[in-house]
Amino acid sequence: MSTLIIGGTGFIGSRVMRLLQARGEPVICMDINPPRVDGETGMKAVRGDVTQFDDLVDIMFREKPDRVLNLSYFLGSEHAPRTAFKLNILGMDNCFEAARLAGAKRVVFASSLAVNGQQKFFGDRAVTEDDFRHGDNQYAVHKIFNEEQAKDYRAKFGMSITAVRPANVTGPDKVRGSVDHVNCITQPARGNAISFPYQDAMRCPVHVDDVAEVFARVVLADAPKHDVYNTGGTAISLGSLAEMVKEFLPDARITFKNETGGRDISGNYLIDNTRLVQEFGVQYRPFRQRVLQIINEVRAAEGLPLVSG
Ligand SMILES: NC(=O)c1ccc[n+]([C@@H]2O[C@H](COP(=O)([O-])OP(=O)(O)OC[C@H]3O[C@@H](n4cnc5c(N)ncnc54)[C@H](O)[C@@H]3O)[C@@H](O)[C@H]2O)c1
């Protein structure tokens, strides 16, 4: 039983590849920028462009994966409309359609907390998967369309397609998408000063190892109970995150231009992940431990002394 991971070279995908491989699951990566893989590990990697339907048909009929996970996407909303459309909308549909034609049993894809839009639409309550989606930027609207397209494939062809909505994924090597909460940890870990507009801006970080575990469990599940799952994370202001970083790095130079404001324009940060926790038994490590882990991974890579908890 094999799993095809499209976008398997990326921040999240590379970790899902390693997790599945460590569990003895045959895994194939298709990416426009494929990783070098050691033939002994049992992993395969091929170059393929998800915007090219023929590339997907070719790999799906050749490898006949039982499961498909699509993580290829443009993060952010700054992309030219047609460029973003090709990868985010057409690429996702190519993936659904090729999986249908090739008879893959399961398809999983990454949606995002961005579909929910700003927290102010929900007041002070945690958002569930059934809430109305207020997201209105390019990225959010494309994710909402992907979710709707998945619903149409389920309804018309009986396919099993599951969306996972990661929160603000964090890790030492995250460079795309929401990165202020990442830089708040990684720049001080390198000894660099960093400044942000608002101390009270809220985020919902979740460590990339936890998110990779979520994708691994959801993609290996035969019949998930739901079509959409929130990963959730830890709701925290950038100011509180800076304080946490300073517990480990007392000399960290993190400043804010405004001590107040920012919360009212923050994206969704209160997220209900009961569905995922109850069905898949996921348990995230305490966020403080993850912050220390990121600091030390960055410092190890820079040849700096590690800090203790
Ligand atoms: N990182 C986050 O904080 C976050 C949060 C919510 C949702 N997500 C979603 O999770 C998914 C993975 O995110 P990530 O952070 O790993 O992104 P990433 O940019 O690190 O990885 C994307 C991968 O897709 C590949 N790719 C790009 N264009 C391609 C194409 N035309 N054909 C084939 N492969 C192509 C890239 O080479 C890259 O390896 C995305 O759908 C993203 O929207 C991420």
Side-chain angles (χ1 to χ4, degrees):
M1 211 153 46
S2 61
T3 304
L4 172 67
I5 303 186
I6 303 161
T9 313
F11 175 55
I12 299 172
S14 57
R15 277 137 171 129
V16 183
M17 293 268 299
R18 288 199 291 275
L19 277 183
L20 292 184
Q21 194 262 328
R23 276 162 212 184
E25 298 289 336
V27 59
I28 310 138
C29 167
M30 182 187 115
D31 202 293
I32 202 155
N33 174 28
R36 261 179 294 162
V37 293
D38 176 354
E40 311 245 310
T41 62
M43 282 191 204
K44 285 189 196 170
V46 295
R47 186 184 181 284
D49 181 346
V50 75
T51 71
Q52 302 298 317
F53 188 57
D54 292 355
D55 283 8
L56 280 160
V57 168
D58 179 51
I59 191 164
M60 291 223 200
F61 278 82
R62 198 156 24 92
E63 297 291 344
K64 301 202 169 21
D66 303 280
R67 295 155 200 279
V68 177
L69 171 61
N70 185 16
L71 297 170
S72 62
Y73 222 79
F74 281 125
L75 280 84
S77 291
E78 65 274 26
H79 311 282
R82 185 167 168 77
T83 309
F85 160 82
K86 274 183 76 182
L87 179 55
N88 298 351
I89 303 288
L90 184 62
M92 190 65 79
D93 185 72
N94 284 344
C95 168
F96 294 164
E97 183 65 10
R100 178 179 85 84
L101 294 174
K105 289 196 191 78
R106 296 260 303 120
V107 179
V108 177
F109 70 99
S111 181
S112 169
L113 89 167
V115 299
N116 297 318
Q118 295 191 343
Q119 181 66 40
K120 69 177 181 200
F121 293 116
F122 307 94
D124 285 336
R125 71 172 178 84
V127 176
T128 75
E129 293 86 347
D130 294 330
D131 272 303
F132 184 81
R133 295 162 297 191
H134 292 273
D136 61 0
N137 56 31
Q138 180 189 73
Y139 180 72
V141 169
H142 286 184
K143 291 292 190 189
I144 292 171
F145 184 84
N146 299 151
E147 291 189 1
E148 288 303 306
Q149 191 79 338
K151 197 196 279 180
D152 213 16
Y153 272 92
R154 275 184 222 111
K156 290 181 177 147
F157 301 116
M159 287 175 74
S160 171
I161 308 182
T162 312
V164 173
R165 294 180 184 164
N168 300 129
V169 189
T170 184
D173 49 329
K174 181 176 181 182
V175 290
R176 286 180 284 278
S178 68
V179 287
D180 52 5
H181 58 97
V182 180
N183 290 335
C184 189
I185 307 170
T186 55
Q187 293 302 336
R190 293 190 179 95
N192 297 334
I194 183 114
S195 181
F196 301 100
Y198 294 109
Q199 186 169 318
D200 210 22
M202 294 296 295
R203 301 290 178 258
C204 187
V206 57
H207 194 271
V208 64
D209 291 348
D210 290 323
V211 170
E213 181 65 38
V214 167
F215 276 110
R217 289 188 194 193
V218 174
V219 82
L220 291 179
D222 283 329
K225 290 188 188 139
H226 300 281
D227 297 330
V228 183
Y229 294 89
N230 289 336
T231 69
T234 301
I236 189 167
S237 69
L238 288 181
S240 300
L241 178 57
E243 290 309 312
M244 204 180 271
V245 170
K246 285 178 187 172
E247 287 175 37
F248 302 118
L249 298 165
D251 298 331
R253 290 169 293 152
I254 310 169
T255 53
F256 295 93
K257 294 195 174 76
N258 301 284
E259 281 179 17
T260 55
R263 187 171 291 240
D264 49 329
I265 52 165
S266 295
N268 168 220
Y269 54 86
L270 297 173
I271 302 169
D272 185 332
N273 66 355
T274 311
R275 245 181 215 186
L276 187 79
V277 170
Q278 286 184 345
E279 188 175 335
F280 291 96
V282 289
Q283 243 186 334
Y284 301 149
R285 276 200 219 160
F287 184 59
R288 197 172 172 281
Q289 271 183 32
R290 291 302 199 182
V291 169
L292 179 61
Q293 178 187 338
I294 295 170
I295 289 173
N296 279 332
E297 282 166 350
V298 169
R299 290 180 73 83
E302 299 278 326
L304 294 166
L306 303 190
V307 297
S308 74

